[in-house]
Structure formats: structure tokens, C-alpha cells
Amino acid sequence: MKKIVGGMPIANRLLAALPRADRERMRTMLEPVTLNFGDVLCEPGDPIRHVYFPNDSLVSLLTPVDRQHLLEVGLVGFEGMVGTALALGIAVTPVRALVQGAGSATRMGAATFRKEFQQSLRLQREVHLYIHALMSQVAQTAACNRFHNVESRLARWLLMTRDRVGSNHFRLTQEFLGFMLGVRRVGVTHAAQALKRRKLIDYSRGYLSILNERGLESASCSCYEVVKPRKRANP
Amino acid sequence: MKKIVGGMPIANRLLAALPRADRERMRTMLEPVTLNFGDVLCEPGDPIRHVYFPNDSLVSLLTPVDRQHLLEVGLVGFEGMVGTALALGIAVTPVRALVQGAGSATRMGAATFRKEFQQSLRLQREVHLYIHALMSQVAQTAACNRFHNVESRLARWLLMTRDRVGSNHFRLTQEFLGFMLGVRRVGVTHAAQALKRRKLIDYSRGYLSILNERGLESASCSCYEVVKPRKRANP
DNA sequence: AGCGCTCTGTCCGTTGTCGTACATAACAAC
DNA sequence: GTTGTTATGTACGACAACGGACAGAGCGCT
């Protein structure tokens, strides 16, 4: 089976939606970084040092439960940013931000971002829109966790990931997936087998491919429709 | 058993946190309203006409799933407002806002609110803080729905309600609770019986009392700690 | 070839919740 | 009172997911 292949370069849409002038000014304050699989950008309770704008990388937001479990509540890719709390005037992050797909991003110091956010109405607008989208995503996740079975949730998760990294092939183990979905690894095994049997996906030892996107969509719950990142024309 | 008793008057904290000048100016734009049990302030997809600031009333935010189920993802009382999407530049609400506890509130027209929000930095600040709190609440709900059983979730829900209406006695049926928690009525019956047997609550035909707040806290999951509205001194 | 590590698959008894159906209890209206 | 309505309680089989333990399978390393 195929290993990971790099997609075409993807630029962060939140930044891309800004008018030229803002973008140019901010360019000097943005530091390009490479995010590696497994990196933890922040832990709950940490002061926010940087905000991150993923390009082709993918970051999971995990909320702690019972000082023991963690559960993914949001997935951030090129359509958003990590560190939205800062825009809301909160200096401390409530979530763990875990790099789930390696790739590039740009980042900005917290103080710089706050200043920019106050000054640029367009940045405010874009960040506000993204916060709303993220909120919807989290709400949908809450409902999905309540009503849908592992198989549907797995399908949804794979599609969301696909949309954000722009590739049908990515690296992840069942252990990791179980962690994200809040189920046992064995639960993932069963769900994944079912999808594999139907030739919707294939996987082996830490690599996974989506074979039939349409089929996977119909296997996933309707929650996927809600959290799909919309296409937006660049200005 | 006791019926509902009115608590002392509670004023909306989000508004109360504003400096005198802002508050005075806004007073003329705020219209006092009485919210009745069962009122629906908005349905998903509706344009937002007003934002609401509950005093002693209580509003549930419900997200639709599968065009069939609904699930509560947030609970708004005196500490917040209904219609946060508007502050984020979204004119259409993604949730149903259902009045779960009758009481008073004030409301403001959408256009007026947007104007005020743009002009008053303090209002921005307070609304931003609340949006963050709401986001945390929703995230916690997502995790809670995944890991905790009906009994714990019920206990948490009762405590959250208590905190927001300021009374240990309120009106609600098991049918309604099942709806909020996303479980069958019978599931609520079992959980409620367990809590009643332990003398933590009492209830009968649509009325419910919290008898032992401390005990109920330990019966609830730790999620309650996270979403408890913090005391804040009025400036 | 052999070893060890990691990832995936299987098994089994248990638990929480589901779906459905029906039974009792409290209150209201007449 | 009688009757109707609403709220709550009980019962039973079905099923998804759990927790834990163990069995293969793929791959790198020596």
C-alpha cells in the first residue's frame, strides 16, 4: 500500500482571507515552523506563547476529563488557527494542542498577535468567523459522541482529517485513533475492519489510505456535513 | 414537597460587569422581557433578531443531530447571553435556544447590539470572555457525553441549573431531562431514583428539589467543576 | 535466520443503555 | 366520585462498547 505522499502546498486560509496590506504587514511577524507528528504545542493551563496558523499540518485540540482521560474536541487545519483563546482575552489555553499531521505552519508571538488583533478589523473578522466555526465543530462533536457509533465517528474523523491535510494517505495507528475518539483500541480495530471489508479504506501498521471517499461519506454520520470546511475564494 | 419559590432578584452579570457609563447608555436600548418555560427564542437557521441577557431565567442551547435528535450543548443563565454568534459576525443562529427556567431577562435588537459591540471595548471584552466560557462548557459537554454515565450527567445538569437560577427547587419532568441529556426517559427515571434513594434530591410530577448539594456534587462528574460559573465581584 | 518491537486481530464475560410495552400514581376537571 | 391526562415506575430482550488478556503479523536489526 502507498505511504504518505505530499500534497500540493496549502496556505493557511485564515491568513489568506486578509487584505493584501494586512497580510504583508503581518508577514514580517510570522515565523515559519515545521510541526512534527506528536509535537505538543500547549498543555491545558499553559500560558499561550504563540498562535499557530497551519498550512498543510493538522492539529488536534484535546480537552482533559477526570485528570485521566483526554478527548479530541476539535481539529484545526489550514482553515483555522491554534490559540483562539488569546483573541478572546484569555491568556491560558484550556486544551492540549497535539500535532496529528506533520507539516508546515506559521506562528506569531502572543503579544504581537494581541496587538494585531486589536488593530486589524479584518483580522478580527476572520478570527471571529473561525471561532464560530470551531464552536460549531465542538458542539457537533458533543452531539456526535452521544448518538453515533464508533464506525460512523471513525469515518467522520478520517474525512475531516483528509479535508485538512489534502491527502488521502496519512500516518496513524489504531492506538492513536482510539485516543482521539475516546474508545479502546480494539473498538477502533472492529470499526476499521468493517470499513476495510467494504473497501472504503485500507491500512497497515500505522499507515492508512482512504480508497473511496464517497462511500466513506455515506458510512460517516451526518455530522460530517456540518463540520466540513467550506471552500472560500481567496480575495 | 416544596414547589418553586422565587429566589432573590438576580441581575445579569455580563451587563453588570460593564462600567457605569456603558451600562447607563445601554439601559435605554435594553427591553425587559419575561421568558416563559418552553419558549423558543430561536431555531437553527433563523436570523438572530435579538440577543438576550437572562437575569434569573435559564436558557438551553440545543444543537440538531441527524435532522431528528436534538442535544443540549450549553446552558445560559445570568452569567451570559443568548446570541453570541452575532458578536462573531454570524447573523444566523446555529442552535435552538429553549427557555428551561422561567424568569426575567433583557434583550436588545440585533443591529443595536452589533453597533454597541463595535463601539464598546468593555462590552467586547465581557462578551469575549463569555464566549470562551461557553466554548469550554461545550467542550466539557462533549467529553462528558463520551465518558460519564447518565447518573453523573444528571447530577451535573441539576447543579448547573441550580447555579444559574439561584434556587434548589425547579420545575422539570423526566421526559424533559431525557431530552436534554440525550437519553430515554426511562434512563432518567433510573438515574433519578438512585439519587432520590440517596436523599440527594427529591421530585414529584414535574417538580424537583435538590436536598443535598454537597452530596450531589460528589455524585456528579468532575466536569461540573469546570463549568461552574465563577463568582465575580461587580466593579 | 533469528530476535524484538510495534501494530493489529481475537476472545470472553460484564455493563450501560436502548427500544418497546405496559403498569401505577398523582392531579385536574367535571 | 368518575374520568382523563400527565408523570413516573417496571420489565425484558438486544446490542454496542468495556476491560483485560493473549495470539498473530509485519518490519527492522544484528
Side-chain angles (χ1 to χ4, degrees):
Chain A
M1 67 174 290
K2 273 199 232 165
K3 300 287 160 104
I4 292 178
V5 289
M8 53 186 173
I10 299 179
N12 184 275
R13 278 215 194 137
L14 202 156
L15 294 177
L18 297 176
R20 176 88 84 88
D22 288 271
R23 219 160 58 232
E24 288 302 321
R25 182 164 35 78
M26 284 176 68
R27 192 190 298 280
T28 62
M29 308 163 184
L30 284 164
E31 171 191 2
V33 287
T34 299
L35 303 182
N36 299 305
F37 183 82
D39 283 359
V40 173
L41 304 183
C42 57
E43 287 285 349
D46 284 0
I48 301 178
R49 304 169 95 93
H50 297 93
V51 297
Y52 292 80
F53 300 91
N55 294 318
D56 56 347
S57 49
L58 182 59
V59 179
S60 284
L61 305 181
L62 306 159
T63 199
V65 204
D66 296 330
R67 309 195 168 288
Q68 149 191 12
H69 292 115
L70 277 174
L71 180 71
E72 183 186 75
V73 292
L75 209 46
V76 185
F78 62 86
E79 88 290 4
M81 62 177 278
V82 176
T84 49
L86 204 61
L88 298 174
I90 303 282
V92 164
T93 175
V95 293
R96 173 185 292 183
L98 174 69
V99 177
Q100 191 268 307
S104 74
T106 51
R107 73 179 188 183
M108 191 185 279
T112 315
F113 175 76
R114 294 186 82 146
K115 207 175 293 171
E116 279 299 307
F117 183 76
Q118 272 160 21
Q119 285 171 2
S120 164
L121 284 179
R122 284 301 298 269
L123 180 60
Q124 274 181 39
R125 195 177 89 101
E126 292 303 322
V127 171
H128 275 165
L129 289 179
Y130 177 64
I131 288 174
H132 184 263
L134 184 58
M135 183 94 120
S136 302
Q137 195 189 123
V138 176
Q140 200 65 33
T141 301
C144 192
N145 281 341
R146 185 69 206 79
F147 291 116
H148 300 137
N149 63 18
V150 178
E151 190 176 323
S152 303
R153 301 208 318 271
L154 173 60
R156 175 169 84 101
W157 197 91
L158 294 175
L159 289 167
M160 286 178 63
T161 299
R162 198 224 92 84
D163 289 341
R164 282 163 182 79
V165 298
S167 163
N168 277 326
H169 311 279
F170 26 87
R171 190 184 148 191
L172 39 74
T173 66
Q174 298 188 352
E175 185 83 45
F176 179 81
L177 276 169
F179 187 59
M180 290 296 115
L181 299 175
V183 300
R184 299 167 310 150
R185 179 190 59 75
V186 179
V188 176
T189 301
H190 290 312
Q193 281 172 332
L195 297 177
K196 190 179 197 173
R197 240 177 285 129
R198 289 199 267 157
K199 304 228 186 295
L200 303 179
I201 64 173
D202 192 18
Y203 58 90
S204 164
R205 295 191 65 73
Y207 293 94
L208 189 144
S209 295
I210 295 178
L211 300 180
N212 178 347
E213 211 165 328
R214 288 312 246 326
L216 201 55
E217 284 191 33
S218 58
S220 86
C221 46
S222 59
C223 302
Y224 172 59
E225 282 305 316
V226 180
V227 295
K228 199 190 279 196
R230 309 274 163 228
K231 303 275 177 217
R232 258 202 291 177
N234 287 2
Chain B
M1 66 173 289
K2 273 201 232 164
K3 300 285 161 105
I4 292 178
V5 289
M8 52 183 174
I10 299 179
N12 184 276
R13 278 218 195 134
L14 200 156
L15 294 177
L18 296 176
R20 176 87 84 88
D22 289 271
R23 219 160 57 232
E24 289 301 322
R25 184 164 34 79
M26 285 177 67
R27 193 191 297 280
T28 61
M29 308 163 184
L30 284 165
E31 171 192 2
V33 287
T34 299
L35 304 183
N36 300 304
F37 183 82
D39 283 359
V40 173
L41 304 183
C42 56
E43 287 285 351
D46 284 0
I48 302 178
R49 304 169 95 94
H50 297 92
V51 297
Y52 291 82
F53 300 91
N55 295 318
D56 57 347
S57 49
L58 182 59
V59 179
S60 283
L61 305 181
L62 306 159
T63 199
V65 203
D66 296 330
R67 310 195 167 287
Q68 148 190 13
H69 293 115
L70 277 174
L71 180 71
E72 184 185 76
V73 293
L75 209 46
V76 184
F78 62 85
E79 88 290 3
M81 62 177 279
V82 177
T84 50
L86 204 60
L88 297 175
I90 303 282
V92 165
T93 175
V95 293
R96 172 186 293 183
L98 174 69
V99 177
Q100 191 268 305
S104 74
T106 51
R107 74 178 188 184
M108 191 185 277
T112 315
F113 175 76
R114 293 187 81 147
K115 207 176 291 173
E116 278 299 307
F117 183 76
Q118 272 160 21
Q119 284 172 2
S120 164
L121 284 179
R122 285 301 298 267
L123 180 60
Q124 275 180 37
R125 195 177 89 102
E126 293 303 323
V127 171
H128 276 165
L129 289 178
Y130 177 63
I131 288 174
H132 184 262
L134 184 57
M135 183 94 122
S136 303
Q137 196 189 121
V138 176
Q140 200 63 34
T141 301
C144 192
N145 282 341
R146 185 70 205 79
F147 291 115
H148 300 136
N149 63 17
V150 178
E151 190 175 324
S152 303
R153 301 210 315 272
L154 174 60
R156 174 169 83 101
W157 197 90
L158 295 175
L159 289 166
M160 285 178 62
T161 300
R162 198 224 92 85
D163 289 340
R164 281 163 182 79
V165 300
S167 163
N168 277 326
H169 312 278
F170 26 87
R171 188 181 151 193
L172 39 75
T173 66
Q174 298 187 352
E175 184 81 46
F176 179 82
L177 277 168
F179 187 59
M180 291 295 116
L181 299 175
V183 299
R184 299 166 311 150
R185 179 191 58 76
V186 179
V188 175
T189 302
H190 290 310
Q193 281 173 333
L195 297 177
K196 190 179 196 174
R197 239 177 285 130
R198 288 199 267 159
K199 305 227 186 295
L200 303 179
I201 65 173
D202 192 17
Y203 59 90
S204 162
R205 292 189 68 71
Y207 293 93
L208 189 145
S209 295
I210 294 177
L211 300 180
N212 178 347
E213 210 166 329
R214 287 312 246 324
L216 201 55
E217 284 190 33
S218 58
S220 86
C221 47
S222 59
C223 302
Y224 172 60
E225 282 305 317
V226 179
V227 295
K228 198 190 279 195
R230 309 275 161 225
K231 303 277 179 215
R232 256 201 291 178
N234 288 0

